[in-house]
């Protein structure tokens, strides 16, 4: 009997070991896959895949940045002098404009003369910039094909515009999304953490048993409400309230996202922090009271420092939930990828961007890789914030000792 019991213990121990090892390997492989897919973005061209930009052979310009390309085709840059060329008005040519320059007879019955027609249009217009598919580049094309360039980390992390489907050059500036995520998340934590910690202290140290038996299940039940329900609540209640109170044109703002996320994070913060506070040994509390400390002094000077690791875990879980939330934020923040200046204007977060765009991004394309790289950024943001919170709490514990 003892031998059988010992064998079962060994089997259970090995199963737990294999389970833990397998879980760790799977998580590591997921992270590797995420970074592998995202890193492919920096091998992509600045110009849309399958297309090219060409100018007249006498044009001195050889390369344009993605922002300059967009500004030219949006008619914000109208003279070649602004991008290092001659002092002449830019003539923008898109492939769809071809019939405005040549007749249908010149294109041929089966459009077999399209490459030669494009070659002629470029040759006849010294100030032209032509945007057309690579497949229509004539073998004898005597224009100058601009260097496509590659998307660089500085463009991705330092760019202030996110237009992944713009033509002829997509813009993958992630800075507005990072700032939007941080603004909403920190706003949520600034609201949720003080309230959550206060409720946890009340439940663990001040509330009577009847009140605790009612409040504790209710708070834990809030954690089980579908996240989209919080989004509907924010859309129906919080958004109109913010619009009226601050006299805004729209109520879908970063503040609405922060309030909704704070409500969502409260159950997690309260539950974890309350459990940590209640686990403070009774002898520690009684020793403090015996030395003449009041109940509030004991809570502030003894119980909270003792349970700081659990409170830190509550803060990290709350921050993680706030940063990674998708649907509720997508519904109440306005989903506008612009540089945020205040919480009272529409913004967009990284998770909302991934959720909104991944279904429409062609698998393996530049947009697809950019969204995976956003996932890498989100992973690193969560990791960095968790490490910072842990370092701060560790310093406080050492200071208390």
């Amino acid at each position: 009997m003892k031998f059988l019991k010992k064998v079962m213990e060994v089997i259970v121990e090995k199963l737990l070991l294999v389970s833990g090892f397998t879980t760790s390997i799977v998580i590591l492989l997921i992270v590797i896959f995420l970074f592998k897919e995202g890193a492919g973005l920096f091998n992509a061209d600045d110009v849309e895949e399958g297309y090219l930009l060409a100018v007249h052979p006498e044009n001195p310009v050889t390369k344009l940045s993605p922002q300059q390309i967009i500004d030219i085709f949006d008619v914000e840059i109208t003279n070649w002098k602004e991008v290092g060329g001659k002092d002449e008005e830019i003539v923008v040519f898109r492939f769809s404009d071809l019939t405005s320059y040549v007749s249908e007879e010149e294109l041929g019955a089966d459009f077999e003369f399209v490459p030669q027609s494009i070659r002629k249009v470029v040759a006849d217009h010294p100030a032209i910039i032509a945007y057309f598919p690579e497949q229509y580049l004539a073998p004898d094309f005597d224009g100058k094909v601009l260097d496509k360039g590659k998307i660089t980390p500085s463009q991705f992390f330092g760019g202030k515009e996110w237009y992944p489907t713009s033509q002829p050059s997509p813009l993958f500036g992630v800075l507005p999304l990072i700032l939007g995520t941080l603004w909403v998340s920190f706003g949520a934590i600034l609201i949720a953490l003080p309230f959550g910690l206060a409720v946890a202290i009340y439940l663990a140290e001040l509330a009577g048993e009847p009140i605790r038996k009612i409040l504790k299940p209710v708070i834990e039940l809030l954690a089980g409400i579908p996240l989209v329900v919080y989004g509907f609540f924010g859309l129906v209640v919080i958004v109109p309230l913010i619009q009226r109170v601050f006299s805004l044109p729209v109520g879908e703002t970063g503040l609405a996202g922060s309030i909704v996320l704070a409500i969502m994070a409260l159950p997690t913060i309260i539950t974890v922090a309350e459990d940590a506070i209640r686990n403070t040994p009774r002898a520690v509390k009684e020793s403090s009271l015996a030395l003449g400390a009041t109940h509030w002094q004991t809570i502030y000077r003894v119980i909270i420092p003792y349970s700081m690791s659990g409170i830190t875990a509550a803060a990290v879980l709350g921050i993680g939930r706030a940063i990674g939330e998708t649907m509720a934020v997508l519904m109440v923040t306005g989903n506008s990828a612009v540089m945020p200046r205040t919480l009272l204007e529409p913004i967009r977060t990284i998770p909302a961007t991934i959720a909104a765009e991944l279904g429409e991004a062609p698998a393996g394309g530049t947009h697809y890789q950019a969204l995976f790289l956003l996932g890498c950024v989100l992973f690193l943001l969560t990791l960095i914030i968790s490490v910072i919170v842990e370092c701060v709490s560790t310093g406080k514990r050492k200071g208390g000792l």
Side-chain angles (χ1 to χ4, degrees), residues 186 312-313 315-321 323 378-394:
F186 284 132
T312 302
V316 170
L317 289 173
I319 292 172
R321 181 159 191 179
I323 290 181
L378 188 64
F379 170 79
L380 293 175
L381 279 178
T382 307
L383 179 63
I384 291 170
I385 292 174
S386 299
V387 170
I388 291 174
V389 172
E390 181 62 30
C391 291
V392 170
S393 63
T394 301

mmCIF file of all heavy atoms in Angstrom, residues 186 312-313 315-321 323 378-394:
data_model
loop_
_atom_site.group_PDB
_atom_site.id
_atom_site.type_symbol
_atom_site.label_atom_id
_atom_site.label_comp_id
_atom_site.label_asym_id
_atom_site.label_seq_id
_atom_site.Cartn_x
_atom_site.Cartn_y
_atom_site.Cartn_z
ATOM 1 N N PHE A 186 -3.508 54.489 -17.619
ATOM 2 C CA PHE A 186 -3.118 55.185 -16.391
ATOM 3 C C PHE A 186 -4.295 55.943 -15.791
ATOM 4 O O PHE A 186 -4.433 56.029 -14.567
ATOM 5 C CB PHE A 186 -1.948 56.132 -16.659
ATOM 6 C CG PHE A 186 -0.624 55.445 -16.800
ATOM 7 C CD1 PHE A 186 0.225 55.729 -17.853
ATOM 8 C CD2 PHE A 186 -0.235 54.483 -15.886
ATOM 9 C CE1 PHE A 186 1.444 55.086 -17.988
ATOM 10 C CE2 PHE A 186 0.986 53.827 -16.008
ATOM 11 C CZ PHE A 186 1.827 54.119 -17.065
ATOM 12 N N THR A 312 0.435 44.697 -4.694
ATOM 13 C CA THR A 312 1.152 44.873 -5.958
ATOM 14 C C THR A 312 0.586 43.953 -7.029
ATOM 15 O O THR A 312 0.396 44.356 -8.183
ATOM 16 C CB THR A 312 2.646 44.584 -5.771
ATOM 17 O OG1 THR A 312 3.172 45.461 -4.773
ATOM 18 C CG2 THR A 312 3.400 44.771 -7.068
ATOM 19 N N ALA A 313 0.323 42.705 -6.642
ATOM 20 C CA ALA A 313 -0.271 41.769 -7.595
ATOM 21 C C ALA A 313 -1.626 42.270 -8.076
ATOM 22 O O ALA A 313 -1.963 42.168 -9.268
ATOM 23 C CB ALA A 313 -0.421 40.393 -6.951
ATOM 24 N N ALA A 315 -2.532 45.426 -8.285
ATOM 25 C CA ALA A 315 -2.274 46.555 -9.193
ATOM 26 C C ALA A 315 -1.832 46.071 -10.563
ATOM 27 O O ALA A 315 -2.291 46.579 -11.599
ATOM 28 C CB ALA A 315 -1.219 47.474 -8.585
ATOM 29 N N VAL A 316 -0.938 45.061 -10.582
ATOM 30 C CA VAL A 316 -0.439 44.536 -11.857
ATOM 31 C C VAL A 316 -1.571 43.900 -12.652
ATOM 32 O O VAL A 316 -1.694 44.103 -13.870
ATOM 33 C CB VAL A 316 0.695 43.523 -11.614
ATOM 34 C CG1 VAL A 316 1.051 42.801 -12.901
ATOM 35 C CG2 VAL A 316 1.918 44.219 -11.050
ATOM 36 N N LEU A 317 -2.413 43.116 -11.980
ATOM 37 C CA LEU A 317 -3.544 42.497 -12.670
ATOM 38 C C LEU A 317 -4.518 43.550 -13.195
ATOM 39 O O LEU A 317 -5.057 43.424 -14.300
ATOM 40 C CB LEU A 317 -4.273 41.535 -11.720
ATOM 41 C CG LEU A 317 -3.525 40.254 -11.367
ATOM 42 C CD1 LEU A 317 -4.275 39.484 -10.283
ATOM 43 C CD2 LEU A 317 -3.348 39.374 -12.596
ATOM 44 N N GLY A 318 -4.730 44.602 -12.400
ATOM 45 C CA GLY A 318 -5.601 45.680 -12.853
ATOM 46 C C GLY A 318 -5.036 46.406 -14.053
ATOM 47 O O GLY A 318 -5.751 46.694 -15.018
ATOM 48 N N ILE A 319 -3.729 46.706 -14.019
ATOM 49 C CA ILE A 319 -3.081 47.374 -15.145
ATOM 50 C C ILE A 319 -3.116 46.486 -16.377
ATOM 51 O O ILE A 319 -3.397 46.946 -17.492
ATOM 52 C CB ILE A 319 -1.625 47.744 -14.784
ATOM 53 C CG1 ILE A 319 -1.606 48.827 -13.708
ATOM 54 C CG2 ILE A 319 -0.866 48.215 -16.015
ATOM 55 C CD1 ILE A 319 -0.224 49.117 -13.164
ATOM 56 N N GLY A 320 -2.832 45.185 -16.175
ATOM 57 C CA GLY A 320 -2.864 44.258 -17.309
ATOM 58 C C GLY A 320 -4.226 44.198 -17.964
ATOM 59 O O GLY A 320 -4.345 44.167 -19.188
ATOM 60 N N ARG A 321 -5.261 44.190 -17.144
ATOM 61 C CA ARG A 321 -6.610 44.161 -17.708
ATOM 62 C C ARG A 321 -6.920 45.469 -18.426
ATOM 63 O O ARG A 321 -7.555 45.468 -19.486
ATOM 64 C CB ARG A 321 -7.636 43.915 -16.609
ATOM 65 C CG ARG A 321 -9.059 43.853 -17.123
ATOM 66 C CD ARG A 321 -9.979 43.134 -16.204
ATOM 67 N NE ARG A 321 -11.260 42.878 -16.837
ATOM 68 C CZ ARG A 321 -12.253 42.248 -16.253
ATOM 69 N NH1 ARG A 321 -12.112 41.779 -15.023
ATOM 70 N NH2 ARG A 321 -13.390 42.035 -16.887
ATOM 71 N N ILE A 323 -4.755 47.616 -19.873
ATOM 72 C CA ILE A 323 -3.979 47.768 -21.099
ATOM 73 C C ILE A 323 -4.471 46.823 -22.185
ATOM 74 O O ILE A 323 -4.515 47.168 -23.359
ATOM 75 C CB ILE A 323 -2.482 47.532 -20.813
ATOM 76 C CG1 ILE A 323 -1.921 48.691 -19.978
ATOM 77 C CG2 ILE A 323 -1.690 47.393 -22.104
ATOM 78 C CD1 ILE A 323 -0.462 48.558 -19.658
ATOM 79 N N LEU A 378 2.554 45.909 -27.304
ATOM 80 C CA LEU A 378 1.643 45.749 -26.166
ATOM 81 C C LEU A 378 2.222 44.799 -25.127
ATOM 82 O O LEU A 378 2.146 45.053 -23.918
ATOM 83 C CB LEU A 378 0.301 45.229 -26.661
ATOM 84 C CG LEU A 378 -0.838 45.173 -25.646
ATOM 85 C CD1 LEU A 378 -1.199 46.572 -25.167
ATOM 86 C CD2 LEU A 378 -2.062 44.505 -26.251
ATOM 87 N N PHE A 379 2.840 43.732 -25.584
ATOM 88 C CA PHE A 379 3.488 42.777 -24.673
ATOM 89 C C PHE A 379 4.608 43.453 -23.880
ATOM 90 O O PHE A 379 4.704 43.292 -22.656
ATOM 91 C CB PHE A 379 4.042 41.609 -25.490
ATOM 92 C CG PHE A 379 4.927 40.669 -24.722
ATOM 93 C CD1 PHE A 379 4.385 39.711 -23.877
ATOM 94 C CD2 PHE A 379 6.306 40.750 -24.836
ATOM 95 C CE1 PHE A 379 5.199 38.851 -23.164
ATOM 96 C CE2 PHE A 379 7.136 39.907 -24.132
ATOM 97 C CZ PHE A 379 6.580 38.945 -23.285
ATOM 98 N N LEU A 380 5.434 44.228 -24.576
ATOM 99 C CA LEU A 380 6.548 44.906 -23.906
ATOM 100 C C LEU A 380 6.050 45.979 -22.937
ATOM 101 O O LEU A 380 6.622 46.149 -21.852
ATOM 102 C CB LEU A 380 7.485 45.515 -24.944
ATOM 103 C CG LEU A 380 8.259 44.520 -25.811
ATOM 104 C CD1 LEU A 380 9.057 45.246 -26.885
ATOM 105 C CD2 LEU A 380 9.175 43.656 -24.950
ATOM 106 N N LEU A 381 5.000 46.700 -23.325
ATOM 107 C CA LEU A 381 4.432 47.718 -22.429
ATOM 108 C C LEU A 381 3.956 47.086 -21.123
ATOM 109 O O LEU A 381 4.250 47.586 -20.027
ATOM 110 C CB LEU A 381 3.264 48.430 -23.108
ATOM 111 C CG LEU A 381 3.587 49.557 -24.091
ATOM 112 C CD1 LEU A 381 2.304 50.100 -24.693
ATOM 113 C CD2 LEU A 381 4.354 50.675 -23.400
ATOM 114 N N THR A 382 3.222 45.995 -21.241
ATOM 115 C CA THR A 382 2.726 45.311 -20.049
ATOM 116 C C THR A 382 3.873 44.806 -19.191
ATOM 117 O O THR A 382 3.852 44.934 -17.952
ATOM 118 C CB THR A 382 1.822 44.134 -20.457
ATOM 119 O OG1 THR A 382 0.810 44.596 -21.353
ATOM 120 C CG2 THR A 382 1.160 43.514 -19.252
ATOM 121 N N LEU A 383 4.892 44.241 -19.837
ATOM 122 C CA LEU A 383 6.044 43.729 -19.100
ATOM 123 C C LEU A 383 6.778 44.846 -18.370
ATOM 124 O O LEU A 383 7.115 44.717 -17.180
ATOM 125 C CB LEU A 383 6.990 43.019 -20.074
ATOM 126 C CG LEU A 383 8.271 42.424 -19.475
ATOM 127 C CD1 LEU A 383 7.927 41.322 -18.480
ATOM 128 C CD2 LEU A 383 9.173 41.883 -20.578
ATOM 129 N N ILE A 384 7.012 45.965 -19.059
ATOM 130 C CA ILE A 384 7.744 47.083 -18.449
ATOM 131 C C ILE A 384 6.980 47.654 -17.258
ATOM 132 O O ILE A 384 7.551 47.909 -16.188
ATOM 133 C CB ILE A 384 8.017 48.173 -19.508
ATOM 134 C CG1 ILE A 384 9.030 47.662 -20.530
ATOM 135 C CG2 ILE A 384 8.527 49.453 -18.852
ATOM 136 C CD1 ILE A 384 9.183 48.573 -21.734
ATOM 137 N N ILE A 385 5.667 47.862 -17.441
ATOM 138 C CA ILE A 385 4.865 48.421 -16.347
ATOM 139 C C ILE A 385 4.835 47.477 -15.159
ATOM 140 O O ILE A 385 4.932 47.912 -13.998
ATOM 141 C CB ILE A 385 3.440 48.728 -16.848
ATOM 142 C CG1 ILE A 385 3.479 49.884 -17.847
ATOM 143 C CG2 ILE A 385 2.515 49.085 -15.692
ATOM 144 C CD1 ILE A 385 2.161 50.175 -18.517
ATOM 145 N N SER A 386 4.731 46.173 -15.410
ATOM 146 C CA SER A 386 4.728 45.191 -14.317
ATOM 147 C C SER A 386 6.043 45.217 -13.552
ATOM 148 O O SER A 386 6.058 45.167 -12.315
ATOM 149 C CB SER A 386 4.471 43.790 -14.884
ATOM 150 O OG SER A 386 3.217 43.715 -15.526
ATOM 151 N N VAL A 387 7.156 45.327 -14.280
ATOM 152 C CA VAL A 387 8.473 45.384 -13.621
ATOM 153 C C VAL A 387 8.604 46.658 -12.794
ATOM 154 O O VAL A 387 9.111 46.635 -11.658
ATOM 155 C CB VAL A 387 9.593 45.298 -14.682
ATOM 156 C CG1 VAL A 387 10.947 45.593 -14.052
ATOM 157 C CG2 VAL A 387 9.606 43.928 -15.332
ATOM 158 N N ILE A 388 8.127 47.785 -13.346
ATOM 159 C CA ILE A 388 8.211 49.050 -12.606
ATOM 160 C C ILE A 388 7.397 48.971 -11.315
ATOM 161 O O ILE A 388 7.861 49.378 -10.242
ATOM 162 C CB ILE A 388 7.721 50.213 -13.487
ATOM 163 C CG1 ILE A 388 8.714 50.462 -14.625
ATOM 164 C CG2 ILE A 388 7.540 51.486 -12.659
ATOM 165 C CD1 ILE A 388 8.242 51.498 -15.633
ATOM 166 N N VAL A 389 6.166 48.451 -11.408
ATOM 167 C CA VAL A 389 5.319 48.336 -10.220
ATOM 168 C C VAL A 389 5.965 47.428 -9.185
ATOM 169 O O VAL A 389 5.963 47.724 -7.987
ATOM 170 C CB VAL A 389 3.921 47.815 -10.606
ATOM 171 C CG1 VAL A 389 3.099 47.503 -9.366
ATOM 172 C CG2 VAL A 389 3.192 48.833 -11.465
ATOM 173 N N GLU A 390 6.550 46.337 -9.645
ATOM 174 C CA GLU A 390 7.198 45.407 -8.718
ATOM 175 C C GLU A 390 8.407 46.063 -8.046
ATOM 176 O O GLU A 390 8.628 45.904 -6.839
ATOM 177 C CB GLU A 390 7.634 44.150 -9.472
ATOM 178 C CG GLU A 390 8.292 43.085 -8.609
ATOM 179 C CD GLU A 390 7.389 42.541 -7.534
ATOM 180 O OE1 GLU A 390 6.159 42.517 -7.747
ATOM 181 O OE2 GLU A 390 7.887 42.165 -6.463
ATOM 182 N N CYS A 391 9.210 46.824 -8.817
ATOM 183 C CA CYS A 391 10.377 47.510 -8.234
ATOM 184 C C CYS A 391 9.949 48.549 -7.207
ATOM 185 O O CYS A 391 10.571 48.665 -6.135
ATOM 186 C CB CYS A 391 11.195 48.166 -9.354
ATOM 187 S SG CYS A 391 12.048 47.007 -10.437
ATOM 188 N N VAL A 392 8.879 49.296 -7.519
ATOM 189 C CA VAL A 392 8.396 50.307 -6.563
ATOM 190 C C VAL A 392 7.918 49.656 -5.278
ATOM 191 O O VAL A 392 8.234 50.101 -4.175
ATOM 192 C CB VAL A 392 7.268 51.139 -7.207
ATOM 193 C CG1 VAL A 392 6.594 52.017 -6.167
ATOM 194 C CG2 VAL A 392 7.835 52.003 -8.342
ATOM 195 N N SER A 393 7.160 48.566 -5.408
ATOM 196 C CA SER A 393 6.640 47.897 -4.204
ATOM 197 C C SER A 393 7.762 47.261 -3.404
ATOM 198 O O SER A 393 7.750 47.272 -2.166
ATOM 199 C CB SER A 393 5.623 46.834 -4.593
ATOM 200 O OG SER A 393 6.233 45.822 -5.378
ATOM 201 N N THR A 394 8.782 46.746 -4.074
ATOM 202 C CA THR A 394 9.926 46.155 -3.375
ATOM 203 C C THR A 394 10.680 47.236 -2.586
ATOM 204 O O THR A 394 11.080 47.039 -1.448
ATOM 205 C CB THR A 394 10.884 45.479 -4.383
ATOM 206 O OG1 THR A 394 10.181 44.476 -5.079
ATOM 207 C CG2 THR A 394 12.068 44.856 -3.653
#
